[in-house]
């Protein structure tokens, strides 16, 4: 009864989710306080108080049939305009409501734009390590995924290989900055060169390519690191954004697409994306959360940032002292650690014996590494250090 397309997805169910479920099983056996689950990027910092207040105010002050009713498939016009003006004030852009399409989170936004632009057989380029679901999203619309090998020196994109792998069938390039799983922020120099390569290749091949920037971690950048706004580098750019991480609202599924005026056939693409939003079954982004976002557009994400920064330093410094090798993340809330043996899955299995749940890097097309999500309590990181130390001792690191 299962379709041919779904069978491989069932067989290769997300390792991240499998580890998350394993964590719940182990917690039932050993007690939650004795299980150190670093598998899922599920924010542990509560949503800012402005969000709860905005929900209450919306329900009290706005007409029920309006708040809970249908609207344009692109979303409420006033919400879209509010978001556009906020982006303009922050990044010096010139957007309006006609550039903003409300979506059911960034994942839905990615599916919307891929459905809008892909024909069967079109190629989509991603840079390893990359979020595992990108491949599934591309295959949803009969596209082909092309993976660029990881640059493990600093985890900036491997642009030499990128230039070599662009073909006449390349329709889109997906980037994710700050990056999941490495926490790396793509630099101004990287984005400038990437855009130059794309412009050069489209001219050389006589084709058009879309740059898709997946940005759920935009607000989570540390030590004053700037996260460049990608529409300034390449005209045919679409930004996918989510409030899941900045406002700790992953279950609410609220985000948006930005399709700039500079985008080729911008109006037609926006119309097609709006229809894709509908025919994918989303119809529109959650109405209540759209109204909430308008009211707390300036909600302060610094509380989240400060908590994750503290966790970042605690975990990074602790693991480095134990002999583990990793780069210090500039953003997001993940640490990408080199496994002390070639088979990182074997390392994850050893870690699990100490009730440490880590995600193997092969899930992100980067074997030999593991991802540790530090969007957990500070107490969990502190308690987990004895388990990490025992694991380090097994490998002779300390």
């Amino acid at each position: 009864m299962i379709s041919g397309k779904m069978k491989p997805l069932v067989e290769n169910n997300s390792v991240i989710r499998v580890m998350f479920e394993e964590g719940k099983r182990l917690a039932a056996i050993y007690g939650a306080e004795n299980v150190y689950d670093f598998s899922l990027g599920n924010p542990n910092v509560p949503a800012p108080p402005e969000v709860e207040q905005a929900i209450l105010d919306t329900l009290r002050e706005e007409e029920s049939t309006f708040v809970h009713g249908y609207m344009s498939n692109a979303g409420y016009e006033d919400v879209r305009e509010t978001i556009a003006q906020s982006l303009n004030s922050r990044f010096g852009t010139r957007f309006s409501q006609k550039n903003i399409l409300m979506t059911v989170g960034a994942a839905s936004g990615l599916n919307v734009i891929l459905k809008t632009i892909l024909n069967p057989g079109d190629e989509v380029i991603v840079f390893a390590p990359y979020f595992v679901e990108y491949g599934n999203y591309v295959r949803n619309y009969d596209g082909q995924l092309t993976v660029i090998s990881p640059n493990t020196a600093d985890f900036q994109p491997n642009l030499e290989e990128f230039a070599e792998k662009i073909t006449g069938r390349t329709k889109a390039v997906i980037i994710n900055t700050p990056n999941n799983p490495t926490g790396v922020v793509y630099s101004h120099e990287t984005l400038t060169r990437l855009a130059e390569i794309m412009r050069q290749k489209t001219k050389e091949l006589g084709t058009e390519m879309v740059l898709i920037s997946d940005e759920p971690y935009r607000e989570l950048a540390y030590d004053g690191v700037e996260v460049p706004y990608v529409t300034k580098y390449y005209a045919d750019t679409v930004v996918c954004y989510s409030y899941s991480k900045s406002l700790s609202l992953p279950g609410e599924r609220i985000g948006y697409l930005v399709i700039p005026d500079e985008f080729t056939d911008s109006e037609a693409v926006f119309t097609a994306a709006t229809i894709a939003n509908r025919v994918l079954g989303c119809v529109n982004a959650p109405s209540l959360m759209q109204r909430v976002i308008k009211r707390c557009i300036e909600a302060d994400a610094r509380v989240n940032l400060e908590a994750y920064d503290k966790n970042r330093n605690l975990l990074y410094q602790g693991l480095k002292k134990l002999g583990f090798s990793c780069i210090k993340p500039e953003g997001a809330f993940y640490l990408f650690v080199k496994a002390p043996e070639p088979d990182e899955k074997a390392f994850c299995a050893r870690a699990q014996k100490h009730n440490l749940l880590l995600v193997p890097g092969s899930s992100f097309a980067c074997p030999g590494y593991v991802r540790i999500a530090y969007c957990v309590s500070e107490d969990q990181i502190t308690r987990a250090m004895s388990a990490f130390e025992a694991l380090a001792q097994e490998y002779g690191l300390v």
Side-chain angles (χ1 to χ4, degrees):
M1 294 297 289
I2 300 176
S3 76
K5 270 190 175 182
M6 280 303 301
K7 283 182 179 177
L9 300 186
V10 173
E11 292 168 1
N12 299 302
N13 192 18
S14 169
V15 172
I16 301 170
R17 284 286 174 174
V18 170
M19 294 298 287
F20 177 63
E21 295 299 328
E22 178 65 8
K24 293 196 291 185
R25 187 187 73 83
L26 292 174
I29 298 172
Y30 300 106
E33 71 281 4
N34 298 312
V35 176
Y36 315 111
D37 187 354
F38 295 97
S39 63
L40 193 62
N42 188 26
N44 74 303
V45 179
E50 295 98 318
V51 173
E52 182 177 344
Q53 190 61 50
I55 292 172
L56 295 173
D57 291 346
T58 298
L59 294 175
R60 289 168 181 158
E61 298 172 9
E62 299 189 32
E63 180 63 40
S64 177
T65 53
F66 173 71
V67 172
H68 302 300
Y70 283 133
M71 80 298 296
S72 163
N73 295 132
Y76 290 110
E77 288 80 2
D78 61 336
V79 175
R80 291 154 51 201
E81 186 65 28
T82 297
I83 291 170
Q85 294 309 318
S86 175
L87 293 174
N88 293 343
S89 67
R90 293 166 62 200
F91 304 116
T93 50
R94 293 183 294 177
F95 303 136
S96 68
Q97 61 161 296
K98 63 185 173 66
N99 303 117
I100 309 295
L101 191 157
M102 303 304 296
T103 62
V104 186
S108 177
L110 283 162
N111 276 272
V112 166
I113 193 58
L114 290 171
K115 182 171 180 61
T116 300
I117 66 173
L118 288 186
N119 290 308
D122 282 349
E123 298 169 358
V124 177
I125 291 179
V126 295
F127 295 94
Y130 65 90
F131 180 51
V132 64
E133 298 289 8
Y134 291 163
N136 296 331
Y137 299 162
V138 170
R139 287 184 283 272
N140 279 346
Y141 313 105
D142 298 315
Q144 303 293 320
L145 196 72
T146 299
V147 179
I148 306 302
S149 304
N151 162 26
T152 55
D154 59 9
F155 288 104
Q156 293 286 320
N158 183 341
L159 295 181
E160 291 74 19
E161 184 177 324
F162 172 59
E164 294 171 358
K165 285 191 173 179
I166 294 173
T167 74
R169 296 292 296 174
T170 303
K171 188 60 179 285
V173 178
I174 300 176
I175 61 173
N176 170 219
T177 174
N179 181 260
N180 173 13
T182 65
V184 165
V185 174
Y186 291 177
S187 68
H188 166 73
E189 292 74 19
T190 289
L191 293 174
T192 299
R193 181 60 185 140
L194 183 144
E196 288 173 350
I197 292 169
M198 292 181 69
R199 282 190 291 268
Q200 177 186 339
K201 288 292 183 177
T202 54
K203 184 177 181 180
E204 177 186 313
L205 298 168
T207 58
E208 293 174 329
M209 274 187 286
V210 178
L211 179 59
I212 301 172
S213 185
D214 181 26
E215 302 188 357
Y217 302 97
R218 167 165 285 282
E219 272 66 54
L220 301 182
Y222 311 104
D223 301 328
V225 171
E226 178 191 359
V227 182
Y229 206 76
V230 183
T231 61
K232 296 181 177 182
Y233 293 82
Y234 185 74
D236 288 336
T237 293
V238 174
V239 174
C240 301
Y241 184 80
S242 167
Y243 291 96
S244 293
K245 317 303 182 182
S246 60
L247 296 182
S248 294
L249 298 173
E252 301 296 351
R253 313 309 306 144
I254 184 69
Y256 59 80
L257 289 180
V258 179
I259 302 175
D261 288 339
E262 295 78 14
F263 196 99
T264 303
D265 299 325
S266 176
E267 289 186 21
V269 171
F270 190 92
T271 298
T274 302
I275 294 169
N277 204 31
R278 183 178 76 235
V279 301
L280 284 172
C282 301
V283 181
N284 54 256
S287 58
L288 173 60
M289 293 312 299
Q290 289 191 55
R291 306 309 305 167
V292 167
I293 291 303
K294 181 188 176 184
R295 288 175 178 261
C296 59
I297 192 71
E298 303 300 336
D300 196 344
R302 281 182 299 180
V303 174
N304 299 42
L305 185 64
E306 289 168 4
Y308 299 138
D309 190 22
K310 193 171 184 180
N311 285 358
R312 175 184 71 129
N313 288 313
L314 183 62
L315 185 62
Y316 173 77
Q317 292 166 7
L319 293 184
K320 291 288 283 185
K321 286 180 181 177
L322 292 175
F324 290 102
S325 175
C326 54
I327 61 167
K328 192 172 186 179
E330 300 171 300
F333 41 50
Y334 305 106
L335 202 62
F336 208 50
V337 181
K338 186 170 179 57
E341 64 173 296
D343 183 356
E344 92 281 3
K345 291 183 180 178
F347 174 65
C348 287
R350 276 207 190 188
Q352 192 168 321
K353 292 179 181 178
H354 298 276
N355 288 345
L356 287 165
L357 300 179
L358 319 177
V359 179
S362 50
S363 299
F364 307 95
C366 190
Y369 290 79
V370 298
R371 190 192 78 171
I372 304 176
Y374 55 82
C375 50
V376 298
S377 69
E378 180 185 348
D379 178 62
Q380 176 175 313
I381 294 174
T382 301
R383 287 185 291 105
M385 277 304 156
S386 59
F388 278 118
E389 183 176 5
L391 185 62
Q393 288 173 346
E394 287 189 24
Y395 287 94
L397 300 179
V398 290

